[in-house]
Amino acid sequence: MDMPGLEPFRGEFQHLKSTERTHWADALEATLAGGWPLPPDWLDAQYDLHPEVVPLWMAERDGFYYRPHIEGLALRIRVCGQVMPAPWLVLWGLSAEDVTERAMDQLREKSKGRPFRRLPSGIYKGEFEDGQAASRILLPELWAGLFPGQNTFVAVPTEDCLLLAPQVILPKLLEGIAAGLAGPGRRIAGTIYQQVEHHLLPANLQDPHPIAQPQRELRQGDVAEAYRAQEAVLPAALGRPAPIGLLRTQQGRSVSLATWEEGAPVLLPETDLVAFIAADGRPLGIFFRQTLPRLTTFHGTPVDIWGPRRLRYEGFPTPEQLDRLECFATGEQMAALLKGTKEAPAPRPSTRALANQANPGALSAQASSPVPAHLRGLSLGVQNDD
């Protein structure tokens, strides 16, 4: 207890039992090992708490205390301006529930008397002096009764932006989200959330709802953001991170795509599709990722990293092996896509597909396809310039 900064904890430490002292010492060691400062004295810290909302992948990456909130988002606690590491709770002798409850009480107090401002578009925006408007997604009671008798939709594109809209002006909410994501603030999420009774969930908008496809793209964009953050820190010795992007199908649906290039182990994200490129740069086609287990000689091993899952594969499939996969676009179509051609050639059935057509059991085989039902029957469409 002779280390500078430990004086405020001396009294608490002296009252601990032997096993509790060991636990406390482990927490101190974890704090120092994490490169974090010692916590402020709780007598002062308890009056300066603020809950914040961040993407779940960011919370996992940064290593501070966090609690999953709603899909894709996590709650963290700021103490005197510093994000709270979990070991601080042990050093204070407090539970996470106690500190979180106190932080939420302070957030409610700070949010009183600050009504949401109606924008010219008709949507509402929460504006708070602390620059942490997104944290108010933790307090649905703030907008209770704002849209009587209508479904309420919420978005937090950046940490200083909270948007609300009823269903009738969802297109205007999309415009607000796009403007927020294009701004300078730290990105939180593009996903639209819907209030269902007292809970917030990602809005489950199904085709032919006009906002179903934009919502799909926003959610895919949030996942892609996490994968791009991973790419910056993955060790080069592990292999090549497969780049991720989005494609538009002939049916107007967006699907996620990863690119597997021959020549090095690949770190493959869990996308809808995988595009294969030979060592000489030839496009070999785009295939449904869910059919990769048909290549029994390839075994993906999970990559040890925060955020969404990646699998590491060694080697590269032969053309004969690729024929076992379900094809989304041929090599010719893929080449046209890479060249920016607006109209890709018509799909050409793979060798496996032609064999299935001659097989009386083809229909039942298709029904047992590992490709999710919502992806079956999709084909490559015209891509937007963006």
Side-chain angles (χ1 to χ4, degrees), residues 141-154:
E141 64 265 29
L142 293 180
W143 59 80
L146 192 58
F147 309 119
Q150 302 183 69
N151 292 323
T152 299
F153 294 85
V154 187

Side-chain angles (χ1 to χ4, degrees), residues 35 39 48 64 75 145 154 170 193 210 221 235-236 241 257 272 305 311-312:
D48 192 355
F64 297 104
L75 176 152
V154 187
L170 271 178
Y193 296 94
L257 170 78
D272 299 317
I305 192 170
L311 294 179
R312 181 179 186 271

Side-chain angles (χ1 to χ4, degrees), residues 8-244:
F9 307 98
R10 188 182 303 275
E12 180 69 22
F13 181 81
Q14 290 174 347
H15 289 89
L16 296 178
K17 298 178 181 179
S18 175
T19 55
E20 293 172 334
R21 288 190 175 192
T22 300
H23 190 35
W24 194 95
D26 290 342
L28 176 61
E29 182 180 2
T31 298
L32 299 177
W36 301 312
L38 291 173
D41 188 345
W42 178 247
L43 293 176
D44 300 320
Q46 63 182 317
Y47 301 110
D48 192 355
L49 305 174
H50 189 98
E52 68 173 5
V53 169
V54 297
L56 180 59
W57 64 263
M58 183 181 293
E60 295 175 351
R61 179 197 67 184
D62 294 349
F64 297 104
Y65 167 80
Y66 73 90
R67 185 181 73 193
H69 180 52
I70 50 181
E71 182 179 313
L73 300 181
L75 176 152
R76 301 194 303 197
I77 306 293
R78 284 190 171 272
V79 183
C80 301
Q82 162 75 40
V83 182
M84 180 184 74
W88 282 12
L89 296 168
V90 179
L91 298 179
W92 284 325
L94 298 170
S95 69
E97 291 74 16
D98 290 340
V99 175
T100 301
E101 183 178 356
R102 186 179 289 267
M104 292 294 291
D105 287 342
Q106 293 183 26
L107 184 65
R108 288 188 184 92
E109 189 64 30
K110 295 175 186 175
S111 306
K112 283 183 177 179
R114 298 183 181 276
F116 293 88
R117 181 168 67 92
R118 188 179 187 274
L119 303 181
S121 63
I123 68 174
Y124 285 74
K125 183 177 183 181
E127 296 179 337
F128 302 89
E129 295 175 356
D130 57 17
Q132 293 288 323
S135 65
R136 273 66 181 191
I137 199 173
L138 301 167
L139 300 174
E141 64 265 29
L142 293 180
W143 59 80
L146 192 58
F147 309 119
Q150 302 183 69
N151 292 323
T152 299
F153 294 85
V154 187
V156 284
T158 60
E159 64 182 343
D160 61 349
C161 184
L162 171 65
L163 303 175
L164 300 163
Q167 184 162 336
V168 292
I169 55 171
L170 271 178
K172 297 299 182 181
L173 180 60
L174 285 176
E175 293 176 7
I177 294 171
L181 293 176
R186 183 174 70 178
R187 178 184 176 126
I188 302 297
T191 298
I192 300 173
Y193 296 94
Q194 181 178 359
Q195 186 162 353
V196 181
E197 296 181 348
H198 300 295
H199 304 283
L200 283 172
L201 302 169
N204 186 21
L205 304 171
Q206 301 294 325
D207 295 318
H209 194 291
I211 309 300
Q213 174 55 30
Q215 166 74 334
R216 198 153 40 232
E217 293 184 7
L218 289 169
R219 296 183 72 175
Q220 290 167 332
D222 288 340
V223 175
E225 185 77 9
Y227 275 127
R228 282 191 287 268
Q230 284 183 352
E231 290 177 14
V233 298
L234 283 165
L238 275 181
R240 182 184 297 152
I244 185 172

Side-chain angles (χ1 to χ4, degrees), residues 134 140 144 254 357:
S254 63
Q357 290 177 11

Side-chain angles (χ1 to χ4, degrees), residues 368-385:
S368 62
S369 168
V371 177
H374 68 276
L375 296 179
R376 295 178 196 168
L378 298 182
S379 55
L380 183 63
V382 177
Q383 306 302 305
N384 296 331
D385 292 338

Side-chain angles (χ1 to χ4, degrees), residues 142-367:
L142 293 180
W143 59 80
L146 192 58
F147 309 119
Q150 302 183 69
N151 292 323
T152 299
F153 294 85
V154 187
V156 284
T158 60
E159 64 182 343
D160 61 349
C161 184
L162 171 65
L163 303 175
L164 300 163
Q167 184 162 336
V168 292
I169 55 171
L170 271 178
K172 297 299 182 181
L173 180 60
L174 285 176
E175 293 176 7
I177 294 171
L181 293 176
R186 183 174 70 178
R187 178 184 176 126
I188 302 297
T191 298
I192 300 173
Y193 296 94
Q194 181 178 359
Q195 186 162 353
V196 181
E197 296 181 348
H198 300 295
H199 304 283
L200 283 172
L201 302 169
N204 186 21
L205 304 171
Q206 301 294 325
D207 295 318
H209 194 291
I211 309 300
Q213 174 55 30
Q215 166 74 334
R216 198 153 40 232
E217 293 184 7
L218 289 169
R219 296 183 72 175
Q220 290 167 332
D222 288 340
V223 175
E225 185 77 9
Y227 275 127
R228 282 191 287 268
Q230 284 183 352
E231 290 177 14
V233 298
L234 283 165
L238 275 181
R240 182 184 297 152
I244 185 172
L246 295 180
L247 281 182
R248 183 64 61 87
T249 70
Q250 190 70 42
Q251 295 76 14
R253 189 184 187 100
S254 63
V255 288
S256 56
L257 170 78
T259 304
W260 185 341
E261 297 182 50
E262 186 178 11
V266 67
L267 310 179
L268 200 65
E270 293 192 329
T271 53
D272 299 317
L273 305 170
V274 180
F276 291 87
I277 298 180
D280 59 6
R282 282 182 302 111
L284 302 177
I286 303 174
F287 301 85
F288 288 97
R289 180 189 58 82
Q290 290 86 350
T291 60
L292 281 178
R294 293 177 180 173
L295 307 183
T296 56
T297 57
F298 287 85
H299 301 286
T301 56
V303 177
D304 183 16
I305 192 170
W306 42 263
R309 191 167 181 252
R310 283 183 188 264
L311 294 179
R312 181 179 186 271
Y313 289 91
E314 295 184 354
F316 193 79
T318 65
E320 292 75 19
Q321 289 174 320
L322 290 179
D323 272 341
R324 301 178 195 167
L325 307 180
E326 291 193 31
C327 184
F328 173 81
T330 64
E332 291 88 346
Q333 287 181 290
M334 183 177 167
L337 177 65
L338 293 174
K339 291 177 182 177
T341 304
K342 293 298 182 183
E343 294 292 340
R348 184 184 67 191
S350 66
T351 304
R352 184 178 183 87
L354 292 172
N356 281 343
Q357 290 177 11
N359 183 348
L363 290 179
S364 61
Q366 183 179 5

